[in-house]
Structure formats: C-alpha cells, structure tokens
Amino acid sequence: MKRFDRLILCTMSIGLAVIALFTAYGFKLTGDSGDKAYRIEVNRIIREVSDGREPGELKLEKYTYVRNAAWLEWDAEPEAVRGFFNGTGVHNNAEYSVKPIYRGDDPAGYLRLEYGAGTSRSPLLLVTVILLGAVLAAVFGLLMYIRKQIIRPFHTIEELPYALSKGNLTLDMKESKSRFFGKFVWGLNLLRETLDRQKQTNLRLEKDRQTLIASLSHELKTPVAAIKLYSSALAEGLYDNEDKRRASASLIGQKAGQIEEMISSIIAASVSSLQETEVHVAEFYLKDWIRRVTDHYKERLELLKIRFEVAVPDNKLLLGDPDKLLEVMDNLLENAIKYGDGALIRISFGEEDYRQLIIVENSGDPVPATELPHIFASFWRGSNSAGRQGNGLGLFICRQLMRKMDGDIYGEAYEEGMRFVLVLRY
C-alpha cells in the first residue's frame, strides 16, 4: 500500500512539473513570437506612412497585432505632444508605440500605433494546459480507484491464504463490496468454514475411531486367549471323549465369529468418513465435464501408448456434483490403466429410462463372473489384482459417491474386457 501511495505521489509530482514547464515554455514562445510579429507590422506601417500614405488611409484590418493608429502633427502644441506620448485616447489601456515620421528629410508628425503583443496564441495555450490538467486528473482518479477497489481489498485479504495454510481457521473476514474481490472474499470465507467443518469432523471421527479400535483391540484378547487355550487342549489330547472335543471345537468357532465381528467393526470405522463426504448436487453440461476428463488423461495415455477413444456426447444438462463425478471417473480410468492390457480405453454415452449413461470400457482380461457381485465391496480385491498395489476401496468409493448424487454405477464383463456404467439424472 505504501509503495502504491508513493507511486501516486510521484506521478502527480511529475505531471504537475510537466504542466508547469509546458506552460512557462508556451508563454515564452508566445511572447517571443508575438513581440517579433507586432514589431514587423509596426515597421511596415511606418514605412507606408513615410512613403506618403495618409494615416487615415491605412487598412489596419489586414494586420494581426496593430489595432489602431493615431496621428499628431509635428508642430502641435507641447501639451498635446505630451498627452499623445502619455497615451491619451488609447483604447482600454492597450500597449502602444509612438514613432516620428519623416518625409524626405523633413519631419511630418508623430504616429502612435496601438497593438496587442502575443495575444493570439493565449487561448490555444490555455486550452492545452486545461487538457493536460484534465489528463493528469484522470490519471489521478484512476490510480485512486485502483487503490480503493483493488490494492486496499487485496492488502486486507493477503494474510488469509497464509493463515489457512498454517491451519488457522478462526480468522474471519468482513464481506467486501468490491466488484473485483467481493466474490473472492466470500469464497475464501466459505473455504475457511468448509475446512473448519472438515477439521472438526476429522477430529471427531479420529477420536471415535481411536476409541473404537482401542476398545476392540482390548476385547480381542479374550476370544484369542480362549482359542489358544482350546486349540492347545485339542492338540495335546487333553479331552478323553468326542463330546468334549466337539464342544471345544464349537467354542473355537464361536470365538472366531466374535473376532470376525470385531474386525468388521474396525473396517466399518476405517471407512466411516465416506459417510460424512458432502456432495453438492448442481446442474452442469456434459460436454464441459467430459472435456475436463479428456484434457487430464489424453497426454498421459499417449505417453503410455494406450489408445484413448472418447465419443462426442450431446451437450445435455445433468444433475450431480461435477467434481465428485470427476473423482469417480479418475478411479475408473486408473483401474483401467492398472488392470487392463494397455491397448484400449474407451468412453461412450447412452440413454436409458430418462437417465444419462457414461460408459467406461477397457480391453484386457475381465473379472470372473463369480467375483462380479463383490467388486463394489470395501477392501475387496479380485483375483486379477495379484502383484498390483491397491486397497480395494476405489470401486466402493465410486458407488458411495454415485448414490449420494442419486445415481448409480454397475460393472459387467464382456469378451474383450471390462465395462463400467455410470447412471446420472437429467
């Protein structure tokens, strides 16, 4: 802000100095040229009268500076001569010059010429100075507008992103009416509030998760100890009849069931944050959205030498969260790259029961038909995932997000590979 204020001060100082120099130079130039011009006209008139032209016959309208001429005989009374030289009868206190006139060697009289020196250019100079002043005022107004509408609001908000990066989510900002930063400030405040809510949610979930895991981990010790006890007894042949051995085996099965339930609770706790994910359903155009997908993956797939075919969709208006839908598409395309044969990935479009279908296909070995019902389960990985990194959550997340958007996703195998279909509302 201080630097910009110094810039304004320097600009105004330089502008005023330029106007002052121009004005001084203009007056000097006008005065010099006017002085020379009126002297030329005076000498020309004196020459005409000396050559015999009567003062009353002079045509003064053809002259620019000389406005009036007066004549006094040489032998006039001294009082009249004194008044003539002192300017008696001069119009509006104009400047004048008195010259003696000789005809031959004899004096004939005195010629007094009234003139205006350099006045013809004064209006032009004044207009130029006014224009320069107006330009300087406009520049000053523009700089003050920039200072008020851009520099000052930006100076106010420049600390907020840094505070957010440091995790300070309590710093609030007043809404700005600036046409340039009003929406930006509103968006920053909205981002801060969203991050704060997510932070509180994450803290609560983390606390609940830690409490649950600690509790379940402690409770796991009891069935594990019982299983170890009964299995040791069976291994060492401590039971002397079949009924006791069967009862021990049954107890081992019950304890194993308890452990399985506890593990399911741990798994549910580990993915419970997905239930807290916010989806903002809004209208968006299919062509604009698919362009984002294409721009993101086209170059990468070219480098991987995977043929990427994207059909041209109708520009329909769909309902959903375009950002979350992009996350779903990222998961599907990453799976296609990871589990496909690297030959082809295709995106096409369809329509069924007043729903928009987005179809993602990849060539390669499909998931066996017996495994298809499980592909959207959490932490489940198919038989084709051996040797490939992953946690079995990608498709589970996709289904959760699609259903939050009132849509759906399903997968199917075909002879040449896998196909996943996204279902969206209009």
Side-chain angles (χ1 to χ4, degrees):
M1 182 70 78
K2 292 182 179 179
R3 291 184 179 179
F4 194 78
D5 290 341
R6 286 197 292 268
L7 173 64
I8 294 176
L9 181 60
C10 291
T11 302
M12 294 304 298
S13 301
I14 294 172
L16 291 173
V18 169
I19 292 176
L21 291 174
F22 178 82
T23 303
Y25 179 73
F27 276 116
K28 181 178 183 303
L29 184 63
T30 300
D32 291 345
S33 62
D35 183 63
K36 293 178 181 178
Y38 95 84
R39 290 185 182 212
I40 292 172
E41 292 185 357
V42 168
N43 291 334
R44 186 179 299 166
I45 293 172
I46 291 173
R47 190 180 301 112
E48 288 185 19
V49 176
S50 298
D51 290 342
R53 184 183 293 275
E54 293 297 329
E57 297 177 355
L58 293 172
K59 297 180 179 180
L60 298 179
E61 62 272 7
K62 67 179 182 179
Y63 295 105
T64 303
Y65 299 98
V66 177
R67 302 170 182 172
N68 194 22
W71 175 262
L72 182 67
E73 295 295 336
W74 185 269
D75 54 357
E77 295 293 332
E79 186 67 26
V81 173
R82 188 179 302 110
F84 190 79
F85 273 85
N86 289 337
T88 302
V90 173
H91 295 81
N92 299 324
N93 297 320
E95 295 184 23
Y96 63 92
S97 177
V98 180
K99 299 289 184 180
I101 302 299
Y102 293 87
R103 288 175 179 160
D105 294 330
D106 299 326
Y110 301 99
L111 181 65
R112 186 176 66 191
L113 299 174
E114 300 175 24
Y115 59 86
T119 57
S120 63
R121 296 191 182 184
S122 296
L124 179 61
L125 179 62
L126 179 61
V127 170
T128 304
V129 172
I130 291 175
L131 288 176
L132 288 175
V135 171
L136 182 61
V139 172
F140 177 74
L142 177 62
L143 291 175
M144 292 302 296
Y145 178 80
I146 293 174
R147 183 183 186 276
K148 180 179 179 182
Q149 298 294 329
I150 298 178
I151 303 299
R152 181 183 292 173
F154 185 78
H155 181 72
T156 304
I157 66 178
E158 64 180 353
E159 296 296 332
L160 183 58
Y162 180 77
L164 292 179
S165 69
K166 295 298 182 181
N168 182 8
L169 304 178
T170 60
L171 181 62
D172 194 6
M173 294 192 63
K174 295 181 180 179
E175 289 191 15
S176 173
K177 295 182 180 179
S178 169
R179 60 180 297 185
F180 301 102
F181 291 100
K183 191 173 182 180
F184 180 63
V185 172
W186 175 80
L188 283 178
N189 271 328
L190 189 62
L191 174 62
R192 180 191 61 78
E193 292 172 1
T194 302
L195 291 176
D196 190 38
R197 286 197 304 269
Q198 290 180 349
K199 180 180 179 181
Q200 298 302 323
T201 300
N202 290 339
L203 289 174
R204 177 175 57 81
L205 290 174
E206 184 62 25
K207 183 178 179 180
D208 293 344
R209 188 180 296 115
Q210 290 178 356
T211 301
L212 177 61
I213 291 175
S215 175
L216 292 175
S217 299
H218 178 74
E219 292 178 4
L220 279 171
K221 293 181 180 180
T222 301
V224 168
I227 289 175
K228 289 175 65 177
L229 177 63
Y230 291 129
S231 60
S232 297
L234 289 173
E236 296 175 4
L238 298 179
Y239 299 114
D240 54 1
N241 58 64
E242 188 65 24
D243 291 337
K244 289 185 178 181
R245 285 193 290 270
R246 288 180 179 178
S248 297
S250 177
L251 289 172
I252 290 175
Q254 291 177 10
K255 299 302 180 182
Q258 292 179 10
I259 293 174
E260 187 177 11
E261 290 178 2
M262 293 178 185
I263 292 174
S264 298
S265 299
I266 293 174
I267 292 174
S270 65
V271 299
S272 61
S273 59
L274 289 173
Q275 307 300 325
E276 304 291 335
T277 302
E278 292 186 6
V279 172
H280 303 285
V281 177
E283 293 181 337
F284 65 95
Y285 283 100
L286 178 57
K287 270 191 175 181
D288 295 337
W289 178 82
I290 199 64
R291 189 181 298 114
R292 293 172 61 186
V293 176
T294 305
D295 292 344
H296 184 69
Y297 278 94
K298 183 177 180 181
E299 184 175 356
R300 180 185 173 191
L301 294 177
E302 285 179 355
L303 293 174
L304 294 174
K305 300 189 182 305
I306 299 176
R307 193 164 83 252
F308 189 39
E309 297 180 358
V310 181
V312 179
D314 296 332
N315 198 19
K316 296 178 181 178
L317 197 61
L318 304 181
L319 286 175
D321 187 329
D323 295 326
K324 296 301 181 184
L325 187 60
L326 192 63
E327 184 178 338
V328 171
M329 182 61 74
D330 285 340
N331 272 315
L332 296 181
L333 292 177
E334 291 298 331
N335 281 351
I337 294 171
K338 185 187 300 184
Y339 301 112
D341 61 4
L344 170 67
I345 295 176
R346 180 188 297 116
I347 299 177
S348 57
F349 307 91
E351 185 177 354
E352 184 177 318
D353 293 334
Y354 301 102
R355 294 289 187 271
Q356 177 66 46
L357 306 182
I358 302 176
I359 305 161
V360 181
E361 301 174 273
N362 66 271
S363 57
D365 294 333
V367 173
T370 55
E371 298 181 359
L372 280 176
H374 310 290
I375 59 176
F376 293 105
S378 59
F379 297 102
W380 184 90
R381 304 192 71 199
S383 57
N384 61 342
S385 62
R388 296 180 175 92
Q389 293 183 350
N391 52 26
L393 281 174
L395 292 178
F396 172 75
I397 293 173
C398 289
R399 172 161 283 183
Q400 295 294 320
L401 293 176
M402 290 303 299
R403 289 182 174 176
K404 281 180 173 289
M405 287 185 275
D406 197 19
D408 205 349
I409 179 174
Y410 61 89
E412 57 186 13
Y414 66 106
E415 293 182 0
E416 300 176 358
M418 283 295 299
R419 177 186 296 116
F420 289 92
V421 181
L422 304 178
V423 184
L424 290 163
R425 292 189 299 127
Y426 291 140

PDB file of all heavy atoms in Angstrom, residues 121-132:
ATOM      1  N   ARG A 121      -2.124  33.647 -29.434  1.00  0.00           N
ATOM      2  CA  ARG A 121      -1.885  32.242 -29.092  1.00  0.00           C
ATOM      3  C   ARG A 121      -2.305  31.899 -27.668  1.00  0.00           C
ATOM      4  O   ARG A 121      -2.249  30.750 -27.271  1.00  0.00           O
ATOM      5  CB  ARG A 121      -0.402  31.909 -29.264  1.00  0.00           C
ATOM      6  CG  ARG A 121       0.084  32.021 -30.705  1.00  0.00           C
ATOM      7  CD  ARG A 121       1.463  31.435 -30.844  1.00  0.00           C
ATOM      8  NE  ARG A 121       1.945  31.571 -32.209  1.00  0.00           N
ATOM      9  CZ  ARG A 121       3.106  31.078 -32.627  1.00  0.00           C
ATOM     10  NH1 ARG A 121       3.889  30.437 -31.781  1.00  0.00           N
ATOM     11  NH2 ARG A 121       3.493  31.245 -33.878  1.00  0.00           N
ATOM     12  N   SER A 122      -2.664  32.884 -26.879  1.00  0.00           N
ATOM     13  CA  SER A 122      -3.011  32.617 -25.485  1.00  0.00           C
ATOM     14  C   SER A 122      -4.179  31.655 -25.337  1.00  0.00           C
ATOM     15  O   SER A 122      -4.133  30.749 -24.499  1.00  0.00           O
ATOM     16  CB  SER A 122      -3.300  33.938 -24.770  1.00  0.00           C
ATOM     17  OG  SER A 122      -2.128  34.721 -24.732  1.00  0.00           O
ATOM     18  N   PRO A 123      -5.284  31.769 -26.084  1.00  0.00           N
ATOM     19  CA  PRO A 123      -6.382  30.798 -25.930  1.00  0.00           C
ATOM     20  C   PRO A 123      -5.962  29.369 -26.221  1.00  0.00           C
ATOM     21  O   PRO A 123      -6.354  28.445 -25.507  1.00  0.00           O
ATOM     22  CB  PRO A 123      -7.427  31.301 -26.936  1.00  0.00           C
ATOM     23  CG  PRO A 123      -7.113  32.745 -27.114  1.00  0.00           C
ATOM     24  CD  PRO A 123      -5.636  32.845 -27.014  1.00  0.00           C
ATOM     25  N   LEU A 124      -5.153  29.165 -27.257  1.00  0.00           N
ATOM     26  CA  LEU A 124      -4.688  27.815 -27.574  1.00  0.00           C
ATOM     27  C   LEU A 124      -3.830  27.249 -26.456  1.00  0.00           C
ATOM     28  O   LEU A 124      -3.957  26.083 -26.071  1.00  0.00           O
ATOM     29  CB  LEU A 124      -3.907  27.829 -28.888  1.00  0.00           C
ATOM     30  CG  LEU A 124      -3.327  26.483 -29.338  1.00  0.00           C
ATOM     31  CD1 LEU A 124      -4.443  25.468 -29.556  1.00  0.00           C
ATOM     32  CD2 LEU A 124      -2.500  26.657 -30.608  1.00  0.00           C
ATOM     33  N   LEU A 125      -2.956  28.108 -25.908  1.00  0.00           N
ATOM     34  CA  LEU A 125      -2.121  27.665 -24.795  1.00  0.00           C
ATOM     35  C   LEU A 125      -2.972  27.314 -23.584  1.00  0.00           C
ATOM     36  O   LEU A 125      -2.747  26.296 -22.908  1.00  0.00           O
ATOM     37  CB  LEU A 125      -1.119  28.759 -24.447  1.00  0.00           C
ATOM     38  CG  LEU A 125      -0.177  28.457 -23.267  1.00  0.00           C
ATOM     39  CD1 LEU A 125       0.697  27.249 -23.567  1.00  0.00           C
ATOM     40  CD2 LEU A 125       0.688  29.675 -22.960  1.00  0.00           C
ATOM     41  N   LEU A 126      -3.984  28.121 -23.314  1.00  0.00           N
ATOM     42  CA  LEU A 126      -4.864  27.863 -22.175  1.00  0.00           C
ATOM     43  C   LEU A 126      -5.620  26.545 -22.339  1.00  0.00           C
ATOM     44  O   LEU A 126      -5.723  25.744 -21.396  1.00  0.00           O
ATOM     45  CB  LEU A 126      -5.848  29.026 -22.020  1.00  0.00           C
ATOM     46  CG  LEU A 126      -6.860  28.892 -20.867  1.00  0.00           C
ATOM     47  CD1 LEU A 126      -6.138  28.813 -19.535  1.00  0.00           C
ATOM     48  CD2 LEU A 126      -7.849  30.050 -20.890  1.00  0.00           C
ATOM     49  N   VAL A 127      -6.137  26.299 -23.555  1.00  0.00           N
ATOM     50  CA  VAL A 127      -6.852  25.051 -23.813  1.00  0.00           C
ATOM     51  C   VAL A 127      -5.928  23.849 -23.631  1.00  0.00           C
ATOM     52  O   VAL A 127      -6.300  22.818 -23.052  1.00  0.00           O
ATOM     53  CB  VAL A 127      -7.451  25.068 -25.231  1.00  0.00           C
ATOM     54  CG1 VAL A 127      -7.991  23.685 -25.602  1.00  0.00           C
ATOM     55  CG2 VAL A 127      -8.568  26.102 -25.322  1.00  0.00           C
ATOM     56  N   THR A 128      -4.685  23.985 -24.112  1.00  0.00           N
ATOM     57  CA  THR A 128      -3.723  22.876 -23.983  1.00  0.00           C
ATOM     58  C   THR A 128      -3.423  22.580 -22.519  1.00  0.00           C
ATOM     59  O   THR A 128      -3.371  21.417 -22.095  1.00  0.00           O
ATOM     60  CB  THR A 128      -2.420  23.221 -24.721  1.00  0.00           C
ATOM     61  OG1 THR A 128      -2.722  23.541 -26.081  1.00  0.00           O
ATOM     62  CG2 THR A 128      -1.456  22.051 -24.676  1.00  0.00           C
ATOM     63  N   VAL A 129      -3.230  23.646 -21.726  1.00  0.00           N
ATOM     64  CA  VAL A 129      -2.955  23.457 -20.293  1.00  0.00           C
ATOM     65  C   VAL A 129      -4.145  22.806 -19.600  1.00  0.00           C
ATOM     66  O   VAL A 129      -3.991  21.915 -18.759  1.00  0.00           O
ATOM     67  CB  VAL A 129      -2.609  24.805 -19.642  1.00  0.00           C
ATOM     68  CG1 VAL A 129      -2.524  24.662 -18.124  1.00  0.00           C
ATOM     69  CG2 VAL A 129      -1.283  25.332 -20.180  1.00  0.00           C
ATOM     70  N   ILE A 130      -5.368  23.223 -19.974  1.00  0.00           N
ATOM     71  CA  ILE A 130      -6.569  22.623 -19.377  1.00  0.00           C
ATOM     72  C   ILE A 130      -6.661  21.140 -19.728  1.00  0.00           C
ATOM     73  O   ILE A 130      -6.983  20.298 -18.874  1.00  0.00           O
ATOM     74  CB  ILE A 130      -7.821  23.375 -19.844  1.00  0.00           C
ATOM     75  CG1 ILE A 130      -7.842  24.784 -19.241  1.00  0.00           C
ATOM     76  CG2 ILE A 130      -9.088  22.615 -19.454  1.00  0.00           C
ATOM     77  CD1 ILE A 130      -8.968  25.653 -19.739  1.00  0.00           C
ATOM     78  N   LEU A 131      -6.349  20.803 -20.982  1.00  0.00           N
ATOM     79  CA  LEU A 131      -6.385  19.391 -21.392  1.00  0.00           C
ATOM     80  C   LEU A 131      -5.358  18.564 -20.633  1.00  0.00           C
ATOM     81  O   LEU A 131      -5.639  17.443 -20.184  1.00  0.00           O
ATOM     82  CB  LEU A 131      -6.157  19.277 -22.895  1.00  0.00           C
ATOM     83  CG  LEU A 131      -7.304  19.746 -23.790  1.00  0.00           C
ATOM     84  CD1 LEU A 131      -6.903  19.661 -25.263  1.00  0.00           C
ATOM     85  CD2 LEU A 131      -8.561  18.902 -23.548  1.00  0.00           C
ATOM     86  N   LEU A 132      -4.138  19.122 -20.490  1.00  0.00           N
ATOM     87  CA  LEU A 132      -3.119  18.394 -19.731  1.00  0.00           C
ATOM     88  C   LEU A 132      -3.553  18.212 -18.273  1.00  0.00           C
ATOM     89  O   LEU A 132      -3.341  17.153 -17.676  1.00  0.00           O
ATOM     90  CB  LEU A 132      -1.790  19.149 -19.789  1.00  0.00           C
ATOM     91  CG  LEU A 132      -1.054  19.122 -21.136  1.00  0.00           C
ATOM     92  CD1 LEU A 132       0.193  20.001 -21.087  1.00  0.00           C
ATOM     93  CD2 LEU A 132      -0.664  17.698 -21.506  1.00  0.00           C
TER      94      LEU A 132
END
